């Protein structure tokens, strides 16, 4: 949105003077104090809420009137009314009071706001502002001034700036463009808001540096920490934990296999007796706060119990802990879940029993997969005790198992023919893991026929004509402890033919293993009687830096009614609200009733951008860096404009032109194109940051086939790798219809094709308010862009440079 342009600029041939207001003492800012009574037009004793914020000699603004404080008595200010001929009027109780203490300097001598402005500026300062759409960043230059070290009230001006009775360093400074014969701020164009940063001088001159308004500078987050210097994490987004229960069956899913990764890391703080505390943040939550342990070998997250004897007892609600909140878990690290076997080891064949070569089908997919299987075929004459085995390696889990169950997903059929003699034949399925010999069940027949009925040893039966779920009834944890190889042992399944009495026959059929689901509860062994055994358990605990929580992230800091923050732009604003002095040009706090530019009006970022966030910060990080990362992930730019108002800039789905320029308005036009080397037609986008590693949960390979063809681009050319730490919404794999539909479409609109760049100088003062982020169009320019048309082309201002009597602009085609 453009700068607010006074009526005095809406005329030709303006002669400019620049006036710089150097704030001192309490500066040019909100006092944070209101009037405590109704004030008429002549009253000079004014009651205020807090008189301690004011001193004798202060200048203040109330309503539209400037006043000078001549004395302060408790909460009553005695003032001189109507300073600089500002109009007096009745003032309501509760009206805001602003400090207005400044000294003016300028290019030429002038009266400004009733003050004498010394014409002592000898340099030609410039105000340079720019945005980078490709990186979603902005930049505002510092302003360097050289001024005469003139005599001011009997001493060099350098003494006034530092060793005088007033303090100027780090106070507000404002730069106004002032047309000839104008002497009030309201009729001047404010183009820069900043603070005085550096001063140096010699006998004759002073050099000053004014830095732009960036309240996020030199701030690190998080800031709340414990006495052990561990920080309470900052997290934004919608998180979901893995369920604290485990179920084996057709409904076994992401929760049972502990594969859900919508979690964020929370630091381990301390151990008290048998309880460990981890820091969840500064927000109280009553749901899903419980911690998870990351099992690196399986890339899984298992809920941690607070009870060493009951895996499903978890710390759902966090509790007050110092200046934040924490959750608990038991030192045993008791946890339970379903796991896939990880690798085929070996197989054996019998006389008439043979495993096929589809050995990987017993553990393919993240969860139970009934579409594939590894099969054992039964064929030919019955041979007593004929058997065939298959082995798979186990995952390497932390701790020892207090429970190991080998659950199977199976189908099977058994046929005998040409039977003679008495008795029956059984086709057994046996678990020989860890040296056990547990018959899980069998198919059996005593005469010619076919059966799909599997009799479970533990009781009951399954119809294996279709997929059946065989829950293990035999806990192998004792065999594990006796084996000596621990998790280095294998799961070993055997199919075996046995008979009773003297029956003879031919046999055929199959046993198919669709999936092997190892169900195990693991924990650390604090019952170990040796010193070395306990040391191993405690060392494991001491090596845990983070566990992981599924509680939702921060709600807003009161500016939107304390609602949940689930989108990137919301988190960006909340960080500014939470950690900076986030105010507008009147130094009023942005709140639920006062929003930055383009938040709900203009391009309406809050209504357009719906890109979801999951993002966390655990160690001190520059707030500026965090905000820029969110801007890139969210496809927008946040910045303060020259008039001290915060604004959000992005390319909307439908552009509304702010200004249409003609050849009468501009000069020195130059038309160019974005460099071909900067075009990106393919992106490999990694998003959804992994909670425990440096990697990402999801990836999209996106490309623009139209641009690839149009520019004759090879498969490995103009390609970019993008890693997004905050975005959790899936980017499209090809451009969508609206730029803000997703990350890839937005940046493809910027980077996916050659764009026009236009540089020019504004000569019509009516357009001196144009600012970065404004949308322009051109008509009747006198030169066509590379022989094309100006119509239907929209441009966004990406750079402005202001000098006295000059405004240079650069725009980029949208």
């Amino acid at each position: 949105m453009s700068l607010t342009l006074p009526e005095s600029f809406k005329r030709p041939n303006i002669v400019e003077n620049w006036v710089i207001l150097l704030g001192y003492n309490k500066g040019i800012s909100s006092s944070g104090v209101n009037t405590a009574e109704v004030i008429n037009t002549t009253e000079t004793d004014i009651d205020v809420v807090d008189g301690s914020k004011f001193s004798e000699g202060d200048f203040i603004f109330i309503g539209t009137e400037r006043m000078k404080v001549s004395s302060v008595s408790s909460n009553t200010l005695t003032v001189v009314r109507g300073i600089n001929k500002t109009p007096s009027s009745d003032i309501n109780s509760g009206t805001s009071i602003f400090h207005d203490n400044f000294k003016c300097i300028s290019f030429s001598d002038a009266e400004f706001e009733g003050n004498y402005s010394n014409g002592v500026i000898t340099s030609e300062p410039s105000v340079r502002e720019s945005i980078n759409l490709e990186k979603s960043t902005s930049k505002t230059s510092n302003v360097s001034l050289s001024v005469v070290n003139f005599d001011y009230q009997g001493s060099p001006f350098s003494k006034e700036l530092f060793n005088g009775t007033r303090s100027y360093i780090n106070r507000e400074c404002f730069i106004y463009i002032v047309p000839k014969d104008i002497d009030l701020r309201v009729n001047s164009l404010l183009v820069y808001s900043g603070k005085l940063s550096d001063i140096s001088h010699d006998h004759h001159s002073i050099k000053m540096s004014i830095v732009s308004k960036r309240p996020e500078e030199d701030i690190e987050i998080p800031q709340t920490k414990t006495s052990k210097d561990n920080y309470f994490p900052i997290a934004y987004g919608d998180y979901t934990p893995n369920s604290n229960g485990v179920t084996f069956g057709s409904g076994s899913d992401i929760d049972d296999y502990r594969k859900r990764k919508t979690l964020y890391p929370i630091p381990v703080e301390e151990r008290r007796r048998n309880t460990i505390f981890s820091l969840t943040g500064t927000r109280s939550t009553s749901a899903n706060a419980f911690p998870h342990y990351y099992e690196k070998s399986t890339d899984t997250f298992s809920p941690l119990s607070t009870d060493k004897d009951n895996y499903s007892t978890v710390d759902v609600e966090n509790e007050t802990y110092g200046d934040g909140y924490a959750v608990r878990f038991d030192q045993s690290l008791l946890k339970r879940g379903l796991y896939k076997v990880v690798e085929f080891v070996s197989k054996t064949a019998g006389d008439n029993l043979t495993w096929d070569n589809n050995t990987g089908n017993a553990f393919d997919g993240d969860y139970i997969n009934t579409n594939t299987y590894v099969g054992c075929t039964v064929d030919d004459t019955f041979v007593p005790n004929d058997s065939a085995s298959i082995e798979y390696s186990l995952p390497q889990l932390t701790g020892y198992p207090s429970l190991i169950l080998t659950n199977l997903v199976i189908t099977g059929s058994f046929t005998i023919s040409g039977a003679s003699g008495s008795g029956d034949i059984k086709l057994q399925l046996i678990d020989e893991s860890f040296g056990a010999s547990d018959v899980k069940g069998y198919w059996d027949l005593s005469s010619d026929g076919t059966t799909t009925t599997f009799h479970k040893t533990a009781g009951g039966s399954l119809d294996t004509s279709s997929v059946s779920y065989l829950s293990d009834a035999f806990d192998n944890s004792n065999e594990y402890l006796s084996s000596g190889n621990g998790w280095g042992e294998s799961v070993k399944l055997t199919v075996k033919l046995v008979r009773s009495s003297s029956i003879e026959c031919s046999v055929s059929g199959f046993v198919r293993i669709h999936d092997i689901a190892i169900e195990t509860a693991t924990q650390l062994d604090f019952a170990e009687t040796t010193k070395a055994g306990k040391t191993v358990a405690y060392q494991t605990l001491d090596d845990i830096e983070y566990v992981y929580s599924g509680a939702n992230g921060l709600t807003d800091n009161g500016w939107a009614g304390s609602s949940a923050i689930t989108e990137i732009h919301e988190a960006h604003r909340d960080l500014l609200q939470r950690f900076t002095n986030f105010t507008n040009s009147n130094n009023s706090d942005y709140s639920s009733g006062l929003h930055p530019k383009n938040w709900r009006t203009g391009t309406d970022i809050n209504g357009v951008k719906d890109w979801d966030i999951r993002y966390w910060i655990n160690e001190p990080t520059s707030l500026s860096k965090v905000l820029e990362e969110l801007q890139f992930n969210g496809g927008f730019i946040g910045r303060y404009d020259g008039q001290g108002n915060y604004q959000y800039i992005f390319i909307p789905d439908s552009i509304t032109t702010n200004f249409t320029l003609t050849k009468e308005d501009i000069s020195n036009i130059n038309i160019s194109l974005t460099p071909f080397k900067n075009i990106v037609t393919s992106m490999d986008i990694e998003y959804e940051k992994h909670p425990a590693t440096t990697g990402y949960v999801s990836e999209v390979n996106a490309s623009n086939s139209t641009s690839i063809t149009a520019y004759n681009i090879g498969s490995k050319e103009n390609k970019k790798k993008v890693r997004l730490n905050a975005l959790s919404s899936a980017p499209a794999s090809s451009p969508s219809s609206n730029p803000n539909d997703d990350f890839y479409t937005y940046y493809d609109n910027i980077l996916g094709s050659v764009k026009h760049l236009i540089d020019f100088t504004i000569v019509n003062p009516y357009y001196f308010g144009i600012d970065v982020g404004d949308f322009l169009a051109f008509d009747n320019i006198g030169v066509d862009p590379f022989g094309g048309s100006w119509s239907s082309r929209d441009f966004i201002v990406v750079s402005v440079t202001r000098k006295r009597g000059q405004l240079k602009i650069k725009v980029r085609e949208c």
Side-chain angles (χ1 to χ4, degrees):
M1 295 177 70
S2 55
L3 303 180
T4 301
L5 190 73
E7 289 295 323
S8 59
F9 280 80
K10 298 176 182 179
R11 55 179 177 166
N13 304 319
I14 286 177
V15 177
E16 293 183 20
N17 188 16
W18 280 26
V19 176
I20 299 177
L21 275 57
L22 303 174
Y24 62 80
N25 293 352
K26 299 181 180 70
I28 315 165
S29 61
S30 172
S31 68
V33 175
N34 297 336
T35 56
E37 63 171 342
V38 175
I39 305 165
N40 63 31
T41 58
T42 60
E43 187 174 356
T44 56
D45 291 329
I46 298 175
D47 292 338
V48 299
V49 172
D50 182 3
S52 67
K53 301 293 185 180
F54 306 92
S55 303
E56 180 182 342
D58 277 351
F59 288 92
I60 60 176
F61 241 112
I62 307 178
T64 59
E65 184 179 357
R66 195 173 192 223
M67 309 177 191
K68 183 176 181 180
V69 179
S70 54
S71 66
V72 180
S73 176
S74 186
N75 292 330
T76 299
L77 310 182
T78 299
V79 300
V80 177
R81 301 287 297 268
I83 297 294
N84 306 339
K85 300 180 181 179
T86 51
S88 299
S89 60
D90 291 341
I91 298 171
N92 293 327
S93 178
T95 300
S96 297
I97 304 173
F98 293 88
H99 293 297
D100 202 40
N101 302 300
F102 62 85
K103 170 71 183 91
C104 305
I105 58 175
S106 51
F107 283 105
S108 56
D109 293 344
E111 288 287 332
F112 193 72
E113 291 287 320
N115 296 275
Y116 184 72
S117 180
N118 298 86
V120 294
I121 300 175
T122 59
S123 60
E124 286 291 341
S126 63
V127 173
R128 301 184 304 276
E129 299 175 281
S130 63
I131 57 174
N132 185 321
L133 293 172
E134 295 89 340
K135 297 180 180 179
S136 289
T137 57
S138 66
K139 186 176 181 179
T140 300
S141 68
N142 297 340
V143 175
S144 298
L145 295 174
S146 293
V147 304
V148 176
N149 195 3
F150 66 99
D151 182 84
Y152 181 72
Q153 297 181 355
S155 299
F157 189 51
S158 54
K159 179 178 180 179
E160 166 68 12
L161 290 175
F162 189 69
N163 277 324
T165 59
R166 299 167 174 173
S167 298
Y168 288 85
I169 294 290
N170 201 38
R171 269 55 173 198
E172 295 85 355
C173 296
F174 299 109
I175 300 177
Y176 285 89
I177 299 177
V178 183
K180 185 178 181 181
D181 300 327
I182 295 297
D183 59 3
L184 293 176
R185 276 177 284 189
V186 69
N187 295 321
S188 303
L189 177 60
L190 175 61
V191 294
Y192 194 88
S193 302
K195 290 187 177 183
L196 183 62
S197 173
D198 299 305
I199 312 173
S200 65
H201 76 93
D202 57 23
H203 291 296
H204 306 292
S205 65
I206 303 171
K207 295 185 183 300
M208 291 186 281
S209 180
I210 302 173
V211 298
S212 63
K213 183 176 182 178
R214 290 181 62 88
E216 71 273 19
E217 290 286 350
D218 302 321
I219 293 176
E220 287 190 336
I221 57 171
Q223 297 176 349
T224 307
K225 61 182 180 178
T226 67
S227 59
K228 294 183 177 181
D229 284 338
N230 289 323
Y231 286 87
F232 288 91
I234 294 170
Y236 289 105
D238 185 5
Y239 297 88
T240 304
N242 285 296
S243 169
N244 59 324
V246 178
T247 302
F248 169 70
S250 60
S252 296
D253 59 12
I254 188 171
D255 286 300
D256 302 294
Y257 279 90
R258 306 320 196 195
K259 290 287 188 178
R260 194 181 296 279
K261 297 180 176 66
T262 49
L263 308 163
Y264 66 95
I266 57 175
V268 173
E269 167 69 6
E270 67 165 330
R271 181 170 64 238
R272 292 185 199 165
R273 300 185 66 189
N274 63 346
T275 299
I276 315 296
F277 290 83
S278 288
L279 311 176
T280 58
T282 56
R283 178 197 172 209
S284 173
T285 183
S286 60
N288 299 332
F290 54 87
H292 296 62
Y293 179 79
Y294 177 60
E295 200 70 71
K296 184 176 180 180
S297 67
T298 55
D299 194 26
T300 54
F301 294 85
S302 298
L304 288 168
S305 174
T306 56
D307 183 346
K308 66 181 180 63
D309 298 315
N310 186 347
Y311 77 93
S312 63
T313 303
V314 295
D315 198 5
V316 174
E317 301 182 22
N318 60 13
E319 62 185 87
T320 300
Y321 189 97
D323 293 327
Y325 295 87
V327 288
R328 307 178 179 214
F329 61 94
D330 188 77
Q331 68 175 4
S332 66
L333 298 186
L334 178 61
K335 52 202 175 297
R336 185 168 176 171
L338 296 181
Y339 299 91
K340 296 272 187 174
V341 293
V342 296
E343 186 180 27
F344 167 70
V345 175
S346 65
K347 62 179 179 177
T348 63
D351 291 319
N352 298 313
L353 296 171
T354 306
W355 289 98
D356 63 34
N357 292 323
N358 299 317
T359 54
N361 289 347
F363 60 96
D364 57 345
D366 286 330
Y367 323 119
I368 288 174
N369 181 8
T370 61
N371 296 319
T372 61
Y373 58 84
V374 57
C376 182
T377 301
V378 184
D379 192 25
D380 216 337
T381 304
F382 168 74
V383 176
N385 298 315
D386 192 12
S387 65
S389 299
I390 192 166
E391 292 187 50
Y392 292 93
S393 60
L394 288 162
Q396 301 294 305
L397 304 178
T398 302
Y400 79 93
S402 52
L403 173 74
I404 298 181
L405 303 174
T406 304
N407 301 315
L408 302 175
V409 182
I410 63 172
T411 52
S413 177
F414 183 47
T415 299
I416 67 173
S417 59
S420 62
S422 62
D424 64 2
I425 293 180
K426 292 182 173 64
L427 180 63
Q428 295 178 329
L429 183 56
I430 306 170
D431 183 0
E432 296 184 327
S433 308
F434 306 105
S437 184
D438 299 324
V439 178
K440 289 179 170 293
Y442 55 86
W443 295 265
D444 71 330
L445 289 168
S446 58
S447 59
D448 290 359
T450 297
T451 183
T452 57
T453 300
F454 181 82
H455 301 281
K456 297 187 291 184
T457 301
S461 62
L462 298 173
D463 179 5
T464 59
S465 61
S466 58
V467 170
S468 298
Y469 296 84
L470 177 57
S471 298
D472 196 356
F474 302 98
D475 177 7
N476 291 139
S477 58
N478 288 331
E479 286 86 351
Y480 168 94
L481 295 174
S482 301
S483 71
N485 290 326
W487 295 111
E489 288 282 359
S490 300
V491 170
K492 182 178 181 182
L493 299 174
T494 298
V495 176
K496 186 176 182 178
L497 285 166
V498 298
R499 69 178 176 185
S500 64
S501 194
S502 60
I503 187 171
E504 298 286 350
C505 63
S506 294
V507 293
S508 62
F510 61 85
V511 177
R512 294 172 178 168
I513 308 296
H514 295 264
D515 239 311
I516 302 171
I518 304 300
E519 184 174 350
T520 181
T522 61
Q523 59 193 98
L524 299 182
D525 189 4
F526 288 97
E528 173 65 53
T529 57
T530 66
K531 179 180 179 181
K534 290 191 185 309
T535 299
V536 169
Y538 280 116
Q539 185 61 54
T540 301
L541 282 179
D542 291 340
D543 288 344
I544 301 174
E545 186 176 2
Y546 293 99
V547 288
Y548 304 86
S549 176
N552 285 339
L554 290 170
T555 59
D556 72 76
N557 197 30
W559 53 268
S562 300
S563 58
I565 292 175
T566 59
E567 295 171 354
I568 297 175
H569 68 281
E570 295 174 332
H572 185 278
R573 176 174 174 176
D574 187 72
L575 287 169
L576 288 166
Q577 301 269 175
R578 193 177 293 270
F579 294 106
T580 76
N581 182 30
F582 192 43
T583 59
N584 69 358
S585 59
N586 291 323
N587 283 301
S588 298
D589 292 332
Y590 285 113
S591 62
S592 58
L594 182 63
H595 301 290
K597 290 182 176 181
N598 294 327
W599 184 262
R600 287 186 177 173
T601 57
T603 51
D604 185 21
I605 190 172
N606 198 48
V608 173
K609 292 284 188 180
D610 59 357
W611 302 1
D612 291 334
I613 187 172
R614 278 195 290 275
Y615 185 72
W616 53 84
I617 312 163
N618 290 90
E619 296 295 334
T621 306
S622 162
L623 177 57
S624 295
K625 180 180 177 181
V626 169
L627 293 173
E628 287 191 352
E629 182 172 41
L630 294 183
Q631 288 172 191
F632 180 67
N633 279 238
F636 60 86
I637 299 166
R639 66 180 290 272
Y640 269 100
D641 68 14
Q643 296 183 332
N645 293 304
Y646 202 81
Q647 65 179 150
Y648 284 96
I649 298 171
F650 65 99
I651 298 176
D653 295 336
S654 178
I655 292 173
T656 300
T657 302
N658 299 113
F659 304 101
T660 299
L661 303 179
T662 71
K663 61 185 178 183
E664 307 299 328
D665 305 315
I666 65 176
S667 66
N668 302 323
I669 187 169
N670 180 67
I671 304 169
S672 60
L673 299 173
T674 53
F676 176 76
K677 67 178 182 179
N678 293 348
I679 292 175
V680 177
T681 53
S682 298
M683 287 188 194
D684 294 337
I685 304 168
E686 296 182 8
Y687 67 104
E688 285 193 292
K689 184 77 174 68
H690 192 291
T693 73
T694 58
Y696 299 81
V697 175
S698 302
E699 182 175 3
V700 166
N701 304 117
S703 61
N704 185 332
S705 59
T706 301
S707 292
I708 289 172
T709 300
Y711 301 119
N712 191 32
I713 294 174
S715 60
K716 296 182 179 179
E717 297 175 338
N718 298 78
K719 194 171 187 177
K720 185 177 183 180
K721 185 78 170 181
V722 180
R723 296 177 174 90
L724 304 173
N725 291 332
L727 182 70
S728 61
S729 296
S733 58
S734 60
S736 184
S737 56
N738 297 310
N740 291 284
D741 283 351
D742 64 275
F743 177 90
Y744 176 65
T745 302
Y746 183 80
Y747 283 101
D748 175 73
N749 182 57
I750 295 169
L751 295 166
S753 60
V754 173
K755 303 285 189 177
H756 289 81
L757 299 172
I758 317 295
D759 296 86
F760 55 91
T761 300
I762 290 287
V763 297
N764 184 348
Y766 184 85
Y767 297 110
F768 278 10
I770 289 176
D771 199 10
V772 293
D774 284 346
F775 295 98
L776 307 185
F778 297 93
D779 183 41
N780 191 25
I781 294 299
V783 58
D784 293 326
F786 294 94
S789 173
W790 291 107
S791 65
S792 302
R793 292 188 190 276
D794 294 300
F795 296 85
I796 184 171
V797 178
V798 296
S799 174
V800 297
T801 300
R802 301 179 191 273
K803 287 187 175 181
R804 185 172 52 150
Q806 185 182 85
L807 172 57
K808 290 186 175 181
I809 290 178
K810 184 173 187 175
V811 299
R812 188 187 195 279
E813 187 178 6
C814 297

